[in-house]
Amino acid sequence: RESGFAADDGERRLLEQQLQAVSAKLADIERSYEEELARRKAADAALAQLRGQLPEAQIENAQANLRQGDKDAAKSVFHGVLDKEGASVALAAYQLGQMAESDLNYAEAMRMYKKAVVLEEDKPEYLLAAGKMARKLAQYRQAQQWLEHLREIREAEGDSAELGEALHELALLRTNQGKFAEAEPLYLRSIAIKEKFLSAEHPDVAVVLDDLAELYRRDRKYAEAEPLYRCALAVKEHALSKNHPSVAATLNGLGILCSEQERLAEAESLY
């Protein structure tokens, strides 16, 4: 926070995003741990794909260390591939971006994701990661380019949970830009698709419901926002438990809504 006082807008935005990420990790340690394990598993698989690019012993050492929680050897392998050619370079850059994002080094994550997308511009996984990071860092023009291309790819594949995710990211981007009218139909379609492919009781659906409710609240459309918050709350309590940190986030949003309407007794109980 002290650094932020002397920072320019870009640096301040980066610091704020890193602080939010730390808060989110601390709020739900179990989920953060599961996400980290998934990233290590993906990095392990990526290392296996690089056999033949570097000495076998180096690959095996990196995999062994990674399984023990040490990412340094894996990072060294991926950096060693960056000056080569072919799809392996994009793969290495993407994995380095994932590791940098996990370490909250967002500037480095953005640099690596951008390299991966430039090398393989039609890879949905790379486009999604790059688009999300660009949105977080308020690089909205770049985020729009990548996320719109991602939507085109997913639309060509037909309706799927992955299309629902792409639409959700685009809706968040429009919300960040203050373009609420453009964001609303994206949220609604994302919800419909996610309900179709994941079920109406899936936590991912509740996340989009929360975000649409937040948009309505910010736009002072309280009558539209409240039922969405309550629906998201019911889904989360059923799917995750009443004591889950994500439930607290929805309770907080609903409490803010009640506060803004001077329903202070309700707000207090929710908080």
Side-chain angles (χ1 to χ4, degrees):
R1 284 174 178 158
E2 287 181 13
S3 298
F5 288 112
D8 62 27
D9 289 342
E11 290 172 324
R12 182 184 296 275
R13 175 75 180 182
L14 178 59
L15 287 165
E16 288 173 349
Q17 287 298 323
Q18 289 171 320
L19 179 60
Q20 288 177 21
V22 171
S23 299
K25 285 178 180 290
L26 293 174
D28 194 346
I29 294 293
E30 184 177 353
R31 180 175 180 179
S32 297
Y33 180 64
E34 290 172 353
E35 290 175 348
E36 179 62 21
L37 288 181
R39 280 178 169 160
R40 290 182 196 172
K41 186 176 180 180
D44 194 320
L47 287 168
Q49 293 181 53
L50 298 179
R51 294 184 185 279
Q53 299 278 332
L54 294 169
E56 185 75 13
Q58 186 179 4
I59 299 289
E60 291 179 354
N61 178 63
Q63 288 180 308
N65 285 335
L66 188 62
R67 291 163 190 166
Q68 296 298 317
D70 183 352
K71 297 183 288 188
D72 288 344
K75 289 179 182 178
S76 179
V77 168
F78 291 134
H79 275 294
V81 175
L82 290 183
D83 61 353
K84 298 184 182 298
E85 297 180 356
S88 61
V89 180
L91 176 64
Y94 172 73
Q95 288 300 327
L96 285 168
Q98 289 277 283
M99 290 180 175
E101 183 174 353
S102 179
D103 294 339
L104 303 182
N105 186 349
Y106 285 176
E108 177 65 8
M110 186 73 265
R111 190 173 75 87
M112 288 294 106
Y113 287 148
K114 185 173 184 178
K115 184 176 184 67
V117 171
V118 167
L119 292 169
E120 285 199 59
E121 59 183 16
D122 294 327
K123 185 87 167 180
E125 190 176 16
Y126 301 169
L127 287 166
L128 179 61
K132 278 185 175 182
M133 186 55 63
R135 178 180 63 78
K136 284 181 180 180
L137 299 180
Q139 297 177 18
Y140 296 142
R141 182 176 298 179
Q142 184 67 84
Q144 181 170 330
Q145 177 186 336
W146 287 331
L147 292 174
E148 286 288 4
H149 186 39
L150 174 63
R151 175 166 69 167
E152 291 172 1
I153 293 171
R154 293 306 191 193
E155 292 274 18
E157 296 171 347
D159 283 359
S160 65
E162 289 76 18
L163 174 58
E165 185 176 22
L167 292 168
H168 183 206
E169 276 302 316
L170 269 174
L172 290 169
L173 174 62
R174 295 288 186 270
T175 301
N176 290 161
Q177 293 172 309
K179 298 178 180 179
F180 293 172
E182 294 181 29
E184 181 184 12
L186 293 168
Y187 282 126
L188 291 171
R189 189 174 173 213
S190 176
I191 291 168
I193 290 174
K194 283 177 176 281
E195 286 181 340
K196 178 180 177 181
F197 288 93
L198 300 176
S199 89
E201 301 299 317
H202 197 282
D204 284 359
V205 173
V207 171
V208 190
L209 288 170
D210 258 341
D211 289 335
L212 179 56
E214 173 74 5
L215 180 146
Y216 285 146
R217 184 191 64 76
R218 289 174 58 186
D219 207 21
R220 298 186 179 277
K221 295 180 178 179
Y222 298 128
E224 290 91 336
E226 184 166 351
L228 292 176
Y229 275 129
R230 295 196 181 279
C231 183
L233 184 63
V235 170
K236 289 181 178 183
E237 287 182 337
H238 175 74
L240 302 173
S241 87
K242 292 185 177 182
N243 294 320
H244 196 277
S246 187
V247 171
T250 302
L251 289 169
N252 188 64
L254 192 53
I256 293 172
L257 180 143
C258 290
S259 295
E260 290 179 351
Q261 296 180 86
E262 300 297 324
R263 294 157 55 188
L264 303 185
E266 289 181 68
E268 182 181 9
S269 65
L270 291 163
Y271 285 138

